Amino acid sequence: MSTRPIRTTLVCVTAIAATSTALLSSPAAATETRGSGHVATQAAMDAAVAAGVPGVVAEVRDTRGVWKGTSGVADLTTKQPRGHGDRFRAGSVTKTLVATVMLQLQAEGRVDLDATVDHYLPGLVRGNGHDGTKITVRQLMNHTSGIFNFTDDATFAKKVLGIDFLESRYDDWTPQQVIALALENPPQFEPGTSWKYSNTNYLLLGLIVEKLTGRPYAEEIERRVTGPLGMRATRFPGTDPHVPAPTRHYSTFTEDPGKTYDVTELNPSWAWAAGEMISNSADLNRFFSALFGGRLLPPAQLRQMTRTVSTEGNLPGQRYGLGLIEYETSCGVPVWGHSGGIHGSSTQSFGSRDGRHMITLNFNGDWVGGGKNVVSAEFCPPRNPQQG
């Protein structure tokens, strides 16, 4: 692997915080609209900044109200602190919204998740051992399809994830181009026989949504999910390379060790339905609370979404449903949601199965892990009466 982003781009972020030279940061800041008890969460955020993350922003929603915390900076040049409403690239959290639309379509009788990919996208998944007549839509959704992950392709990794990104960051990609690149490689395994994360699966699901609805997949998400929920900070940028100010995203490349690069501007068309979304902590908490609270899916579809398969050997302490991760915190409390990583941005959005306790956080640097540590700190706080 030639770069840090190869490890994090569009994959579930699982690394534990590492020690490194701390970047210049502002004092931690937090606000509480109601309630208390997030001292451990704030401490974990501060620890991530001390380990090298430029800045962290988080929002917690629970039965006591809303807590918002920040640590570090949004911009290493201006030293502006991270703010509560900061928008960021959410990476693979996009997948949960795509899966939600797919399950809505299933509830409407418009898609059969156990039908083959070839049934909806005839002839598209072919070559080097891939066969869309043997892969189901459900297997795309839970990553048991075996289809090669395009971010593991050597050509793609060099151009988009390595230091060559600095020259190619504004390039346009179509999902068909990216899928074709993935299919130049052999499958990861026979369909249904194992599990491995593949961003290619969700490009195919985006195409299926468009085939079934006659609308761009992002427009369908906006019509069905983000619009009705009032997720005003959330958008699907297409080829627009910008992230709304003030947050900047930072990355490092092993080809140029010791230097931090501003990677905020990039054309996310290659990520598309696998991870192009821009959002903020409040919007993502609103989405997951609505999802787990039964406002977006009928009970039968939500049960399917939370029916998980083992990720053994791939994602420690996690199981995968339909666009959804079940993660076991450090104290054994299970939480549900999704992680997201893309150049310079690492997001965690997890909560209780009933959606009554949620945390969404974002690091604006991708070379230091520890996001799951913040999640565990929220759900496994020290037993201290002063913390409520």
Side-chain angles (χ1 to χ4, degrees):
M1 294 183 293
S2 60
T3 68
R4 291 281 184 176
I6 286 178
R7 284 210 296 270
T8 61
T9 300
L10 290 178
V11 301
C12 304
V13 182
T14 58
I16 302 302
T19 57
S20 64
T21 302
L23 298 171
L24 184 63
S25 62
S26 65
T31 62
E32 191 106 38
T33 57
R34 294 190 301 277
S36 61
H38 305 282
V39 174
T41 305
Q42 183 66 59
M45 294 164 60
D46 294 341
V49 171
V53 177
V56 186
V57 62
E59 183 192 273
V60 174
R61 293 187 178 198
D62 59 21
T63 56
R64 294 170 294 185
V66 177
W67 175 88
K68 301 177 181 181
T70 66
S71 188
V73 298
D75 188 318
L76 288 172
T77 300
T78 67
K79 308 301 184 289
Q80 180 169 342
R82 291 216 69 171
H84 301 312
D86 285 1
R87 283 177 279 183
F88 46 78
R89 297 194 190 278
S92 285
V93 183
T94 308
K95 292 179 172 68
T96 311
L97 282 76
V98 173
T100 298
V101 170
M102 287 295 298
L103 285 161
Q104 289 178 344
L105 292 169
Q106 185 206 40
E108 295 163 10
R110 299 171 67 179
V111 65
D112 179 357
L113 301 190
D114 297 311
T116 68
V117 176
D118 203 69
H119 177 75
Y120 296 104
L121 303 172
L124 183 58
V125 180
R126 290 282 195 280
N128 292 306
H130 292 93
D131 186 351
T133 68
K134 298 179 180 179
I135 299 167
T136 68
V137 175
R138 192 182 303 274
Q139 288 168 341
L140 296 180
M141 295 179 72
N142 66 11
H143 297 296
T144 60
S145 71
I147 295 174
F148 189 85
N149 181 12
F150 70 81
T151 52
D152 291 337
D153 176 80
T155 300
F156 183 90
K158 183 177 185 299
K159 184 172 185 178
V160 180
L161 307 181
I163 202 165
D164 288 357
F165 159 82
L166 300 173
E167 302 298 325
S168 67
R169 65 198 301 168
Y170 300 111
D171 289 358
D172 284 338
W173 295 79
T174 67
Q176 290 84 357
Q177 285 176 313
V178 180
I179 292 165
L181 196 62
L183 297 180
E184 290 179 5
N185 301 272
Q188 299 173 127
F189 49 81
E190 287 295 313
T193 64
S194 188
W195 187 94
K196 192 170 182 182
Y197 199 81
S198 176
N199 293 295
T200 315
N201 290 328
Y202 275 75
L203 299 189
L204 291 164
L205 288 168
L207 292 177
I208 291 173
V209 169
E210 295 191 345
K211 180 76 173 288
L212 294 172
T213 65
R215 299 183 184 90
Y217 96 93
E219 183 178 315
E220 198 65 14
I221 290 177
E222 291 161 356
R223 191 175 74 88
R224 292 170 171 268
V225 179
T226 62
L229 292 180
M231 295 170 63
R232 296 182 181 86
T234 301
R235 67 187 185 93
F236 300 84
T239 60
D240 183 350
H242 301 99
V243 176
T247 295
R248 309 299 295 177
H249 294 335
Y250 298 97
S251 190
T252 59
F253 298 95
T254 55
E255 296 98 330
D256 190 8
K259 184 172 182 179
T260 299
Y261 287 88
D262 185 325
V263 294
T264 311
E265 290 193 8
L266 65 88
N267 179 337
S269 55
W270 55 268
W272 203 57
E276 70 166 304
M277 180 172 64
I278 290 172
S279 192
N280 69 4
S281 297
D283 269 14
L284 294 181
N285 277 344
R286 184 177 296 115
F287 164 70
F288 280 104
S289 293
L291 177 66
F292 297 140
R295 293 172 56 193
L296 294 173
L297 294 174
Q301 275 64 44
L302 191 54
R303 283 194 298 272
Q304 289 182 69
M305 194 178 210
T306 55
R307 191 173 300 140
T308 61
V309 295
S310 172
T311 68
E312 187 175 354
N314 290 275
L315 298 179
Q318 303 182 43
R319 293 178 63 84
Y320 206 91
L322 302 183
L324 198 64
I325 295 169
E326 180 185 15
Y327 168 65
E328 186 174 301
T329 60
S330 60
C331 60
V333 173
V335 290
W336 295 81
H338 215 287
S339 303
I342 193 168
H343 298 71
S345 181
S346 177
T347 302
Q348 307 286 337
S349 197
F350 284 93
S352 59
R353 175 63 179 77
D354 61 7
R356 298 178 69 189
H357 186 180
M358 289 295 311
I359 182 171
T360 294
L361 65 106
N362 175 260
F363 291 0
N364 63 336
D366 62 20
W367 63 91
V368 178
K372 291 289 197 306
N373 292 351
V374 181
V375 174
S376 285
E378 174 59 31
F379 287 88
C380 309
R383 293 189 179 278
N384 185 333
Q386 294 181 348
Q387 294 183 25

